Amino acid sequence: MDEPPAKRHHQHPPSKGGRASQPVDTTAKDAELLASNNPFMPMFLHFREELDTHHDRRERVIKASRDVTALSKKMIFTLQRARKLAAPLPAALEAESSQRLSEIHSALSSIAADLQGVNAQRYQRNISGGLQELMEALAFRHYLVTGTLLSYTAAAADPVLAGIELTVADYILGIFDFVGEVMRFAITMVALAGGEGGDAHRILLDLRRIREEFEGVDTMHREGGSYIGKDVDRKMVVMKQCVEKVENAVYGVIVRGSERPKGWVPEMETLPMQVGGRDE
């Protein structure tokens, strides 16, 4: 006869008084069921164990994804304090961003074993949000330091991923969000440089090139078991708005730069904030 399943504690639903009862040890009950003459009981107990394992793994992946998202946002906030393009980060920003990367690596390492083999596809939806936010942070850091776009090959091989597979879809959607951070950085450069515009002219050329490439993306390509067309269409609107804002700011510098009063800052409408993958 099959071995009894591992000892598990199951929580009963709350009673009428509003208090949940204490966890019940099901080992004895499972042994009794296995000893019965029902030939299907071992199979159903095995299925129960598989479902429990699935839900535990899924919760670990979701929690790690949320942690990665929060840490990536903090890293982006840190990087927005940089003031030069295509130059090494100041020591303080380098140390702080490196610390965030270390924490992200630890979070992903804790679930790397849960995302191997078929599970990489099974739980891809649960980790996707965190990986997209991470791509946004990594691409922004790479752009500030090198002045170039982080490639998919380099991103997928980054040690911070701890061996977790990066899909092309998560990379592309992360780069869409990266454009928004570059837009904010460019607007800051225009404000600080006054009539000069600083690196904003170069950034505008880069953003235009990215826009051209994105407009040619095949949104009906099946990636990772799902079409990304809906997400791309939604992010495309915000991306184009970001590029247009940089265009307007740079044009203002070119046309009337010398006439701007000291301390002038270009007007900037509030962009839709993305919460949980949706525009709010």
Side-chain angles (χ1 to χ4, degrees):
M1 183 176 293
D2 295 339
E3 291 289 335
K7 181 178 180 180
R8 298 187 67 88
H9 295 283
H10 290 268
Q11 185 80 35
H12 286 297
S15 61
K16 293 183 179 180
R19 293 183 178 181
S21 59
Q22 295 296 322
V24 177
D25 185 357
T26 62
T27 305
K29 183 64 176 177
D30 290 348
E32 180 181 345
L33 292 174
L34 287 171
S36 66
N37 293 326
N38 190 331
F40 297 104
M41 194 55 62
M43 178 178 63
F44 282 109
L45 290 178
H46 176 70
F47 289 159
R48 188 189 68 184
E49 289 299 312
E50 286 191 342
L51 285 174
D52 287 342
T53 300
H54 159 67
H55 289 304
D56 290 344
R57 184 185 294 115
R58 179 175 176 272
E59 288 303 315
R60 288 196 298 271
V61 172
I62 291 175
K63 181 182 183 303
S65 180
R66 290 173 177 170
D67 291 342
V68 170
T69 297
L71 291 167
S72 297
K73 288 182 181 295
K74 292 179 180 179
M75 179 177 167
I76 291 171
F77 295 155
T78 297
L79 295 172
Q80 282 290 358
R81 304 205 306 266
R83 293 296 176 260
K84 292 183 179 180
L85 180 64
L89 294 173
L93 300 188
E94 176 65 32
E96 189 171 343
S97 62
S98 296
Q99 175 62 30
R100 298 303 182 194
L101 286 175
S102 177
E103 294 171 351
I104 292 171
H105 179 268
S106 297
L108 293 178
S109 296
S110 68
I111 59 167
D114 295 323
L115 295 174
Q116 302 302 317
V118 295
N119 288 337
Q121 295 296 326
R122 188 179 189 185
Y123 302 104
Q124 193 276 331
R125 181 177 180 181
N126 303 124
I127 192 63
S128 181
L131 293 182
Q132 289 179 34
E133 195 72 34
L134 175 59
M135 285 304 103
E136 180 181 353
L138 289 178
F140 187 42
R141 186 177 191 273
H142 183 82
Y143 183 68
L144 290 178
V145 174
T146 68
T148 61
L149 179 65
L150 178 67
S151 68
Y152 169 74
T153 302
D158 196 303
V160 73
L161 288 173
I164 293 175
E165 179 184 359
L166 173 66
T167 66
V168 174
D170 286 338
Y171 168 77
I172 291 176
L173 296 175
I175 297 300
F176 267 106
D177 295 334
F178 150 80
V179 171
E181 297 306 324
V182 176
M183 179 272 294
R184 293 177 177 88
F185 181 75
I187 296 295
T188 301
M189 292 298 98
V190 171
L192 294 178
E196 297 293 331
D199 291 320
H201 301 79
R202 173 180 175 179
I203 294 174
L204 176 57
L205 295 177
D206 293 338
L207 291 182
R208 282 176 165 175
R209 176 65 184 275
I210 292 175
R211 180 176 61 187
E212 292 174 0
E213 295 295 334
F214 273 148
E215 288 174 344
V217 171
D218 179 10
T219 59
M220 294 306 294
H221 173 66
R222 191 171 179 83
E223 167 60 36
S226 63
Y227 292 105
I228 64 173
K230 182 178 180 180
D231 291 329
V232 168
D233 291 343
R234 172 173 53 84
K235 289 178 180 288
M236 185 77 75
V237 174
V238 179
M239 183 272 297
K240 289 181 177 179
Q241 291 175 351
C242 291
V243 179
E244 289 172 0
K245 288 181 182 296
V246 178
E247 286 178 336
N248 292 335
V250 174
Y251 289 163
V253 169
I254 294 174
V255 175
R256 300 186 59 189
S258 60
E259 301 177 11
R260 300 295 186 187
K262 184 177 181 180
W264 171 83
V265 178
E267 295 183 1
M268 175 177 168
E269 298 176 359
T270 303
L271 290 176
M273 295 296 292
Q274 293 184 354
V275 179
R278 298 178 297 175
D279 292 339
E280 297 293 341

